[in-house]
């Protein structure tokens, strides 16, 4: 494999990757090495623990794999399961597992491992942030080493899709407690080192069961400051930034022939979640009035420099099931004031926005604060450290009035049927529609169900539905195989290669 040097291109002799890393660890040094950047450093590297997506952005598909995977086009593909069947009554999945798969510690992957993984997700003390997605699994059997059987309590048309999420990657039992800091998976790259506050180092796994990646090593760099992100890209200290979160700085990359820029679509919906059991947000008229006080186009221009798409429900325009409901409660100050008066707040009210320390959230909060003043509503902004502080105060304790957060999981409209969940929203009609979607046996039935679900919460406004975030990507022009769109939040490096 030919080597390509950057700041040391004129060196007369080839030096091993390991030696180069020791000499200059901030550089992506060889054709077999790629450094990708991401804004948030995860609290841990195990995507089956906790709720934030940052851990999966480092290790999903690179280190950890699942029974199935979601590919770059959003399709379900076989992975550690080579095939599966669903019984006629929709209550039994039978998976055939691949032979000769080993974890990075040499332990064989088989049905007992898969059973352990799923039982762990479903256990009473599970901390898996997406546990509710898999609660339809009633029991798991491993009749032989190559066969895994899932018995469901009711049909679930979404389950096979959810099994492809980072939250359902396979875990080797002896490493379950240590995966947070030293992850051990079956993927094409093995974990080498986590330099806290800086980067995670990974290298190709010699015993990988599938097609070997072209890269010898990958590095995840954590850079939260947008200016520092841009500097790292321009200096080629970072080769890939698949989710660049400073759109106002994006144009500077477009004139650089050494870089490739991409405006892709993702599954992240930016919403202003409200505590639906806390006055005045327990009144649907108040929530609807606040929605009509929001000019989404102004918001997108101010937060994302015009990139992004307005939404009227919790659904991404990237999905084939998307329905445009932005006209349901469009920008209308007079109508918003009238609804507030009807709800008993003719002079408005005051409340606190508990905002995570993410740039899009902070910007959104400041713009919403200004927009709300037009209807007499005064919002105090309170910063909440992300992820730890926000997860405790908002996500777990629901100690908040309003917050702003991006929901990145695909087809996650079902979160409004979770009880409890941080919105504290409860509508039996919505729950029934989600049950209908789970039991759907045809694409048309699923589409009709998702349409109805969007219409219900678009009317009830349990959260202010703001916009679908763009996936702004920039990477070295000599790289191929990077995901342009984001059906799953990830930095999947398995198909990435340097061109000659």
């Amino acid at each position: 494999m030919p080597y390509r040097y950057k700041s040391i291109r004129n060196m007369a002799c080839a030096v091993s990757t390991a030696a180069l890393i020791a000499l200059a660890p901030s550089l992506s040094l060889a054709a077999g090495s790629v450094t990708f950047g991401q804004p948030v450093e995860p609290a841990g590297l195990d995507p089956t623990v906790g709720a934030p997506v940052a851990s999966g952005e480092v290790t999903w598909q690179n280190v950890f794999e699942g029974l199935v995977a979601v590919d770059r086009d959003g399709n379900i593909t076989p992975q550690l399961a080579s095939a599966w069947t669903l019984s006629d009554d929709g209550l039994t999945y039978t998976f055939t597992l691949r032979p000769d798969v080993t974890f990075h510690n040499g332990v064989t992957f088989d049905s007992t491992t898969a059973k352990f993984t799923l039982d762990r997700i479903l256990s009473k003390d599970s901390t898996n942030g997406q546990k509710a997605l898999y609660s339809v699994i009633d029991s798991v059997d491993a009749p032989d080493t190559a066969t895994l059987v899932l018995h469901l309590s009711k049909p679930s048309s979404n389950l096979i899709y959810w099994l492809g999420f980072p939250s359902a990657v396979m875990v080797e039992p002896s490493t379950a407690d240590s995966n947070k800091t030293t992850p051990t998976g079956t993927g094409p790259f093995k974990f080498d080192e986590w330099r806290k506050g800086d980067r995670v180092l990974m290298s190709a796994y010699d015993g990988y069961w599938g097609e070997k990646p072209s890269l010898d090593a990958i590095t995840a760099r954590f850079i939260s400051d947008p200016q520092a992100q841009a500097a790292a890209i321009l200096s080629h200290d970072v080769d890939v930034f698949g989710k660049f979160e400073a759109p106002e700085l994006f144009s500077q990359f477009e004139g650089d022939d050494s870089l490739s820029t991409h405006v892709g679509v993702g599954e992240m919906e930016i919403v202003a979640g409200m505590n639906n059991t806390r006055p005045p947000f327990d009144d649907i008229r108040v929530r609807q009035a606040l929605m009509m006080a929001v000019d989404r186009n102004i918001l997108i221009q101010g937060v994302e420099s015009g990139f992004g798409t307005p939404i009227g429900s919790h659904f991404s325009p990237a999905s084939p099931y998307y329905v445009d409901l932005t006209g349901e409660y469009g920008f209308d100050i007079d109508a918003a004031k009238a609804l507030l008066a009807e709800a008993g707040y003719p002079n408005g009210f005051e409340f606190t926005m508990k905002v995570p320390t993410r740039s899009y959230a902070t910007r959104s909060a400041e713009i919403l604060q200004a927009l709300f003043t037009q209807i007499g509503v005064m919002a105090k902004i309170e910063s909440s450290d992300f992820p730890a502080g926000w997860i405790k105060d908002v996500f777990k304790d629901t100690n908040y009035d309003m917050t702003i957060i991006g929901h990145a999981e695909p087809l996650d409209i079902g979160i409004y049927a979770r009880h409890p969940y941080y919105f504290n929203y409860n509508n039996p009609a919505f729950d029934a529609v989600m049950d209908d979607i789970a039991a759907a046996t045809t694409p048309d039935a699923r589409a009709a169900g998702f349409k109805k679900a969007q219409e219900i919460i678009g009317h009830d406004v349990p959260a202010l539905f703001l916009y679908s975030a763009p996936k702004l990507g920039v990477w070295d022009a000599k790289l191929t195989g990077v995901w342009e769109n984001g059906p799953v939040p990830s930095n999947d490096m398995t198909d990435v290669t340097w061109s000659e």
Side-chain angles (χ1 to χ4, degrees):
M1 180 181 296
Y3 283 80
R4 186 180 73 87
Y5 297 97
K6 295 180 179 177
S7 62
I8 51 173
R9 293 175 195 269
N10 297 323
M11 288 183 67
C13 60
V15 183
S16 72
T17 300
L20 287 171
I21 290 175
L23 289 170
S26 67
L27 300 178
S28 176
L29 299 164
S33 174
V34 161
T35 295
F36 63 88
Q38 68 180 63
V40 177
E41 180 174 19
L45 299 176
D46 181 356
T48 71
V49 176
V53 301
S55 58
E57 289 177 319
V58 177
T59 58
W60 183 71
Q61 295 306 301
N62 297 323
V63 174
F64 289 111
E65 298 175 310
L67 295 173
V68 298
V70 180
D71 70 12
R72 67 176 65 229
D73 298 314
N75 299 314
I76 293 296
T77 60
Q79 196 157 69
L80 298 182
S82 58
W84 59 90
T85 59
L86 179 62
S87 62
D88 291 341
D89 62 5
L91 294 177
T92 306
Y93 271 104
T94 302
F95 292 88
T96 300
L97 307 184
R98 295 187 188 277
D100 304 321
V101 175
T102 61
F103 286 89
H104 301 152
N105 61 357
V107 174
T108 299
F109 166 77
D110 59 20
S111 62
T112 58
T113 312
K115 174 177 167 54
F116 167 84
T117 297
L118 295 176
D119 285 344
R120 177 171 172 260
I121 292 173
L122 298 169
S123 68
K124 184 179 180 179
D125 57 353
S126 170
T127 60
N128 191 300
Q130 303 302 323
K131 177 181 177 179
L133 299 180
Y134 310 103
S135 60
V136 71
I137 301 174
D138 194 48
S139 63
V140 183
D141 291 334
D144 59 65
T145 57
T147 306
L148 182 74
V149 182
L150 309 185
H151 302 284
L152 312 186
S153 59
K154 58 184 179 180
S156 175
S157 63
N158 292 322
L159 180 61
I160 192 66
Y161 191 73
W162 292 332
L163 287 170
F165 282 13
S167 51
V169 294
M170 295 292 103
V171 172
E172 200 276 293
S174 71
T175 67
D177 294 335
S178 60
N179 279 334
K180 184 175 181 179
T181 54
T182 55
T184 301
T186 62
F189 298 98
K190 63 180 179 64
F191 168 81
D192 290 330
E193 182 185 358
W194 184 2
R195 300 176 186 172
K196 295 288 183 70
D198 183 25
R199 69 190 67 201
V200 169
L201 306 176
M202 296 159 276
S203 60
Y205 173 48
D206 290 339
Y208 184 56
W209 62 269
E211 182 178 349
K212 302 292 192 295
S214 67
L215 300 176
D216 301 316
I218 58 175
T219 298
R221 285 260 327 259
F222 309 117
I223 308 174
S224 59
D225 179 72
Q227 295 286 352
Q229 293 171 13
I233 293 166
L234 291 169
S235 66
H236 292 268
D237 283 346
V238 167
D239 303 304
V240 178
F241 225 106
K243 192 173 69 175
F244 185 71
E245 293 188 339
E248 72 280 4
L249 303 176
F250 192 66
S251 61
Q252 67 183 305
F253 307 131
E254 295 174 332
D256 189 331
D257 291 339
S258 71
L259 299 172
S260 179
T261 57
H262 304 266
V263 181
V265 295
E267 286 283 352
M268 180 179 283
E269 298 93 4
I270 309 298
V271 305
M274 291 171 282
N275 191 337
N276 283 227
T277 58
R278 179 177 290 186
F281 306 104
D282 57 345
D283 191 321
I284 188 174
R285 295 167 297 183
V286 170
R287 302 195 303 268
Q288 292 168 343
L290 291 173
M291 188 73 265
M292 288 191 290
V294 177
D295 186 326
R296 296 177 179 91
N297 291 319
I298 286 178
L299 184 75
I300 292 171
Q301 187 62 46
V303 178
E304 302 284 356
S305 296
F307 299 107
T309 306
I311 56 174
S313 183
H314 194 105
F315 232 84
S316 166
S319 171
Y321 302 117
Y322 172 73
V323 179
D324 184 359
L325 296 173
T326 52
E328 178 77 5
Y329 292 102
F331 182 57
D332 190 331
I333 293 298
D334 291 337
K337 288 180 177 178
L339 261 184
L340 275 187
E342 183 182 317
Y345 299 95
N347 299 316
F349 57 90
E350 297 181 2
F351 75 97
T352 299
M353 275 193 281
K354 192 164 287 189
V355 181
T357 50
R358 301 295 305 279
S359 59
Y360 71 83
T362 300
R363 294 173 187 172
S364 294
E366 292 169 350
I367 294 171
L368 290 180
Q369 182 185 51
L371 291 170
F372 291 154
T373 62
Q374 298 179 89
I375 59 171
V377 172
M378 303 295 133
K380 175 186 175 183
I381 297 175
E382 179 181 308
S383 182
S384 181
D385 180 57
F386 188 86
W390 185 90
I391 288 175
K392 182 183 185 302
D393 289 345
V394 177
F395 193 77
K396 291 183 177 178
D397 297 343
T398 63
N399 180 25
Y400 79 107
D401 296 331
M402 179 184 288
T403 190
I404 298 172
I405 197 67
H407 284 265
E409 291 78 11
L411 291 181
D412 63 349
I413 193 171
I415 59 179
Y416 296 90
R418 294 186 192 176
H419 310 296
Y421 200 68
Y422 79 93
F423 302 117
N424 287 326
Y425 169 71
N426 190 357
N427 184 336
F430 180 83
D431 297 353
V433 170
M434 295 310 300
D435 288 339
D436 290 342
I437 293 170
T441 57
T442 67
D444 287 345
R446 278 172 59 80
F450 280 124
K451 179 176 184 293
K452 182 63 175 176
Q454 291 173 74
E455 290 171 346
I456 291 175
I457 63 169
H459 173 266
D460 289 357
V461 198
L464 304 182
F465 303 112
L466 304 177
Y467 66 94
S468 176
K471 184 177 183 295
L472 301 180
V474 56
W475 50 84
D476 193 295
K478 293 186 178 181
L479 280 177
T480 62
V482 182
W483 286 23
E484 294 186 18
N485 300 316
V488 174
S490 69
N491 286 296
D492 183 347
M493 295 288 110
T494 57
D495 293 330
V496 175
T497 185
W498 291 105
S499 61
E500 294 294 334

